[in-house]
Amino acid sequence: MQIVYLGFAGAAQLEAEAGVQLVRLARFGAFVSNCHLAIEALRPDRASPHYDVRLDLITPAHEFRSIAHCVGDNAEAAIRDAFDLAEQELEAIAARARNH
């Protein structure tokens, strides 16, 4: 997984949270070979920044599957939300594959 921080230096706890969430997607290894996570501080100059988290999945066929943006005042919660959406999408893809 590649992580990019925009508007701030990043933090070890965000990398740890992303790593924990990535483990949730391990069961979908047939559908995901890599992912890119972008965490952007939208208001870095304020005491309480606002974060935009984007997760993109890369398939084994090198196709790019973008997951919806997740926004919030807590970057860790936004990361969890992005992986929740990815898990839902991958479950739907796996179900379609089983039915074909």
Side-chain angles (χ1 to χ4, degrees), residues 4-11 14 38-54 70-75 78:
V4 175
Y5 299 101
L6 304 165
F8 72 113
L14 296 180
I39 307 167
E40 182 176 4
L42 298 176
R43 300 182 308 217
D45 55 338
R46 296 192 181 164
S48 176
H50 200 69
Y51 297 95
D52 178 14
V53 173
R54 297 177 299 280
C70 295
V71 179
D73 291 334
N74 182 303

Side-chain angles (χ1 to χ4, degrees), residues 11-97:
Q13 77 263 15
L14 296 180
E15 288 184 28
E17 182 63 37
V20 167
Q21 297 305 315
L22 181 62
V23 171
R24 293 172 47 196
L25 302 185
R27 65 188 170 115
F28 300 107
F31 306 105
V32 178
S33 63
N34 199 356
C35 63
H36 302 156
L37 180 66
I39 307 167
E40 182 176 4
L42 298 176
R43 300 182 308 217
D45 55 338
R46 296 192 181 164
S48 176
H50 200 69
Y51 297 95
D52 178 14
V53 173
R54 297 177 299 280
L55 179 64
D56 299 316
L57 305 177
I58 311 301
T59 70
H62 304 288
E63 296 170 335
F64 184 80
R65 184 175 301 272
S66 185
I67 305 300
H69 291 229
C70 295
V71 179
D73 291 334
N74 182 303
E76 290 176 67
I79 291 169
R80 285 190 294 274
D81 291 345
F83 278 90
D84 286 346
L85 292 172
E87 186 174 32
Q88 290 171 11
E89 185 165 330
L90 289 166
E91 285 173 347
I93 290 168
R96 285 193 300 271

